[in-house]
Amino acid sequence: MGPDFALAACTFLRDTFAMLLWGTFAYLSIVVPSELARDIQRRLQHFRIIATGVVATSTIAALPLEAGSIGDGWIDVFNRSMILEVLFQSTVGHAWLVQAVTVLSLVAALVIPSTCRQTWTALAASLVLAGFTLTGHAAMQQGWIGVGHRLNDAFHVLSCGAWLGSLVPLLLILLALNDPKKRISAGLALRRFSKVGHVVVALVLATGVINTFLTLGEWPTNWSSPYQAMLATKMVLVLLMVSLAILNRYRFVPQISFQRSKSLRAIRIGTMTEITLSVGVIALVSIFGMLEPT
């Protein structure tokens, strides 16, 4: 196992947990009624601390791994001179500095007053995600096309994170529907989730298609290319997620009023399956994001 594999693993962990933090706390801040949002936030306190730690640790580890990937393997991962050279004399290093600042803002959310913590976490996580566009395929293009590609990439990452992250509190909201004291607020949060979900999924699909053509210039139909094969697999997984979301929204949600137990169970299973597929998508992107788009 070389530094490239370890770097892909770091990227996977960083991206996954940053998306979860952004989507979860943006959803709680914007969509969920305040009293229920505070209750869910308390229940997710340990998750927030662990997720922030994973994002910070994987970001720190990424710099020496980048040095090893650029240099001569593991020997350069521990080479201080090589790490400093990458940090101060490469676009990767400059991007890492910006990303490190955004991660520090996320860590700061752990110690600020609880009244601001939810919103701060969402905003800081969104900055962390936006910082990802400073590297990768979007950063390879110059001029207005490069600017447009980065902006589209930022919208894509944020919309993907909004989708994935919102599924975590959704599971808790589904449980709250069984509590007579929380049922009204939970029902309102579920209806709002359905409305916002249409916009988020549309953004994911639209920005994903634009990214594909800006990066590759065509549909990924050449499966002899590892990049195109993994990109096509990602598309299939996303379409499966869309199918599950449609099934939940238009079949099982309307049945809650007269088949509560059965419908909620089906929605929970569908939601957990969406989360699993999302993690698979991020794993694929962590790998083919390091490949030449051919």
Side-chain angles (χ1 to χ4, degrees), residues 13-286:
L13 290 171
R14 181 198 64 186
D15 293 6
T16 300
F17 283 95
M19 286 184 179
L20 286 169
L21 286 168
W22 152 245
T24 294
F25 290 97
Y27 179 56
L28 291 176
S29 299
I30 299 170
V31 177
V32 181
S34 57
E35 186 176 346
L36 180 59
R38 285 193 295 270
D39 177 64
I40 294 174
Q41 182 185 203
R42 285 192 294 270
R43 298 179 68 178
L44 292 175
Q45 180 178 353
H46 294 299
F47 159 75
R48 183 172 56 84
I49 294 171
I50 292 170
T52 300
V54 172
V55 172
T57 303
S58 55
T59 300
I60 292 169
L63 179 61
L65 290 171
E66 286 279 12
S69 180
I70 294 170
D72 294 325
W74 285 110
I75 191 170
D76 278 331
V77 170
F78 304 100
N79 185 334
R80 182 173 176 272
S81 298
M82 184 62 180
I83 293 172
L84 291 175
E85 184 177 341
V86 169
L87 180 60
F88 295 112
Q89 299 182 31
S90 71
T91 54
V92 170
H94 298 159
W96 185 90
L97 287 171
V98 175
Q99 292 163 0
V101 172
T102 63
V103 171
L104 283 175
S105 71
L106 182 61
V107 172
L110 297 176
V111 296
I112 65 171
S114 58
T115 52
C116 307
R117 198 169 292 159
Q118 184 174 277
T119 303
W120 186 299
T121 299
L123 289 173
S126 71
L127 291 175
V128 172
L129 290 174
F132 297 168
T133 64
L134 297 175
T135 57
H137 297 137
M140 294 169 61
Q141 293 175 309
Q142 304 297 320
W144 287 109
I145 292 179
V147 173
H149 196 169
R150 287 186 183 89
L151 287 173
N152 184 77
D153 204 25
F155 279 114
H156 185 62
V157 172
L158 289 169
S159 57
C160 289
W163 185 357
L164 168 59
S166 65
L167 297 176
V168 174
L170 177 62
L171 290 173
L172 298 177
I173 286 167
L174 293 173
L175 292 175
L177 285 170
N178 293 318
D179 186 339
K181 295 180 180 179
K182 301 176 182 177
R183 187 169 295 163
I184 294 176
S185 294
L188 178 59
L190 184 61
R191 289 191 296 273
R192 289 176 176 175
F193 172 84
S194 296
K195 292 178 181 178
V196 173
H198 287 80
V199 177
V200 170
V201 172
L203 275 173
V204 169
L205 296 177
T207 54
V209 170
I210 293 170
N211 259 357
T212 296
F213 280 90
L214 285 174
T215 303
L216 193 61
E218 60 182 353
W219 290 108
T221 55
N222 179 13
W223 284 32
S224 63
S225 160
Y227 179 91
Q228 292 196 38
M230 284 189 275
L231 177 57
T233 304
K234 173 203 168 185
M235 289 179 169
V236 171
L237 294 181
V238 171
L239 289 176
L240 287 174
M241 291 173 61
V242 172
S243 300
L244 285 170
I246 292 172
L247 185 65
N248 277 346
R249 172 61 183 86
Y250 291 103
R251 179 175 179 182
F252 296 122
V253 169
Q255 292 179 358
I256 291 176
S257 58
F258 56 90
Q259 287 185 323
R260 175 175 298 275
S261 179
K262 182 180 178 181
S263 298
L264 290 178
R265 181 175 180 274
I267 295 171
R268 280 196 296 271
I269 292 172
T271 301
M272 289 187 287
T273 305
E274 282 185 64
I275 293 173
T276 302
L277 291 172
S278 297
V279 172
V281 168
I282 298 171
L284 283 169
V285 173
S286 300

